[in-house]
Amino acid sequence: MPIETHPLTPHFAARLTGIDARQALSRQEVAAVEAAMDRYAVVVMPGQDITDAQQLAFSRNFGPLEDGANSGARDTELRLPTVFADVSNLGKDGDPLERDNRRRLAALANRLWHSDASFRAVPARYSILSGRIVVTSGGNTEFADMRAAYDALDAATKAEIEDLVCEHSLVYSRGQLGFSEFLTDERAPMKPVRQRLVRTHPVTGRKSLFLAAHIGTIVGWPRPEAMAFIRDLMEHATQPEFVHVHRWTQHDLVIWDNRTTMHRVRRFDDLNVVRDMRRTTTRCDSPTVAQAAE
Ligand SMILES: [Fe+2]
């Protein structure tokens, strides 16, 4: 079957067919996915009914896997191995989490625009999200194109932000929703890390805004001034013209480039319906600013 890429908007998000994610990928297939990612930043592969092992094998084609993304839950509470980010609404028993469950409350920050793992010194490259059980009402994932958002800034703003560095932490994103009940041993990995606000894509050379709800300040700025400016940039970057909405079909495998996009999940009836989504995440090669890696 030939590999085909169908753009979902002229420059952002594409559907890719002709690759079976259950099978070992050839070098040409890996290159085709990467080429589509470099061009469109979000790639939707429909009809990929994969197992956890197949998802891991597929993901490893695109860099080393990140581990331990389920911060906010004790290992004993986890439904999936720590190499998965469990972005379902389910507990170990397979039932929806209770309303005041800590993991559920922490995960509500996924409804804020963010880039996965920007709070790690070496941030995420690709996120690969498998829709095992999807919901029919709500629960869309929205993506915003941070390359187009950067391009649309005026020259003065581009010059001002070129060398700015932000501090990112899960404490900041969860704190926006009033979640602050971190356990003592969770706080150490939440120490803020520094990331450039403007990134350059290593293959295309395109610049993009590296924004996320995880940002808590700009280095060297008074915090309120930094956060007011970050809010302005967030508002600019998430205008409808930069956004693609993904409505899930069961067995969609959706890949996004965290270096060049933000995303958020929309509200759904998570106390009553089952949404089983499993994410694997690959890492970048290096930090965005000179600092010690984790
Ligand atoms: Fe996310």
Side-chain angles (χ1 to χ4, degrees):
M1 203 164 40
I3 301 171
E4 289 182 12
T5 308
H6 309 270
L8 297 167
T9 77
H11 305 292
F12 184 47
R15 191 158 55 87
L16 187 144
T17 55
I19 292 177
D20 183 347
R22 295 171 303 184
Q23 310 289 334
L25 263 55
S26 68
R27 222 180 311 166
Q28 289 74 12
E29 289 174 320
V30 173
V33 172
E34 290 185 326
M37 289 295 293
D38 288 346
R39 184 157 176 197
Y40 296 104
V42 178
V43 164
V44 177
M45 297 173 63
Q48 303 289 345
D49 182 5
I50 55 175
T51 64
D52 288 351
Q54 288 163 344
Q55 183 171 344
L56 289 173
F58 175 83
S59 302
R60 284 196 182 97
N61 289 301
F62 306 104
L65 295 183
E66 204 169 71
D67 206 320
N70 296 292
S71 323
R74 300 280 185 190
D75 282 355
T76 51
E77 295 170 3
L78 297 176
R79 191 177 67 107
L80 302 175
T82 57
V83 70
F84 282 91
D86 186 358
V87 286
S88 76
N89 61 326
L90 307 174
K92 246 188 142 174
D93 56 6
D95 290 333
L97 297 170
E98 301 282 333
R99 191 165 201 177
D100 58 359
N101 178 281
R102 284 184 77 255
R103 210 190 99 208
R104 171 178 185 266
L105 298 179
L108 288 173
N110 290 329
R111 300 229 304 254
L112 306 177
W113 286 107
H114 65 283
S115 172
D116 287 332
S118 71
F119 48 83
R120 291 179 188 244
V122 177
R125 183 186 187 214
Y126 292 171
S127 286
I128 298 152
L129 186 56
S130 167
R132 307 292 175 88
I133 301 174
V134 303
V135 296
T136 48
S137 180
N140 293 337
T141 303
E142 298 183 346
F143 296 97
D145 186 348
M146 294 300 100
R147 309 162 304 177
Y150 174 85
D151 289 347
L153 292 170
D154 59 62
T157 307
K158 283 179 181 166
E160 184 178 14
I161 67 173
E162 175 69 22
D163 290 317
L164 292 183
V165 173
C166 298
E167 289 193 351
H168 295 236
S169 169
L170 275 172
V171 172
Y172 297 137
S173 44
R174 290 174 184 180
Q176 286 194 44
L177 298 183
F179 181 93
S180 56
E181 296 113 51
F182 299 104
L183 307 175
T184 316
D185 57 347
E186 288 173 348
R187 285 197 172 267
M190 295 188 184
K191 197 169 156 281
V193 303
R194 295 182 168 190
Q195 307 286 5
R196 294 186 61 87
L197 180 53
V198 178
R199 297 181 76 171
T200 303
H201 193 284
V203 175
T204 66
R206 282 189 77 181
K207 287 184 176 175
S208 58
L209 284 171
F210 194 36
L211 288 169
H214 306 306
I215 294 177
T217 196
I218 299 170
V219 175
W221 285 41
R223 195 170 176 213
E225 185 183 357
M227 295 316 291
F229 186 38
I230 293 297
R231 282 192 186 205
D232 287 346
L233 291 173
M234 284 287 228
E235 192 175 300
H236 162 79
T238 56
Q239 296 173 80
E241 64 190 285
F242 305 133
V243 171
H244 172 71
V245 178
H246 180 68
R247 296 174 179 82
W248 288 88
T249 299
Q250 190 184 22
H251 302 318
D252 280 344
L253 189 65
V254 178
I255 314 172
W256 62 88
D257 191 335
N258 287 292
R259 300 171 296 185
T260 54
T261 62
M262 278 201 295
H263 61 281
R264 65 175 177 180
V265 65
R266 301 319 303 267
R267 189 166 186 251
F268 68 102
D269 184 13
D270 73 299
L271 295 174
N272 296 300
V273 300
V274 170
R275 182 177 188 263
D276 187 351
M277 317 289 282
R278 303 181 185 203
R279 194 189 88 211
T280 37
T281 315
T282 68
R283 284 201 312 267
C284 289
D285 298 329
S286 56
T288 64
V289 291
Q291 63 174 36
E294 284 173 299

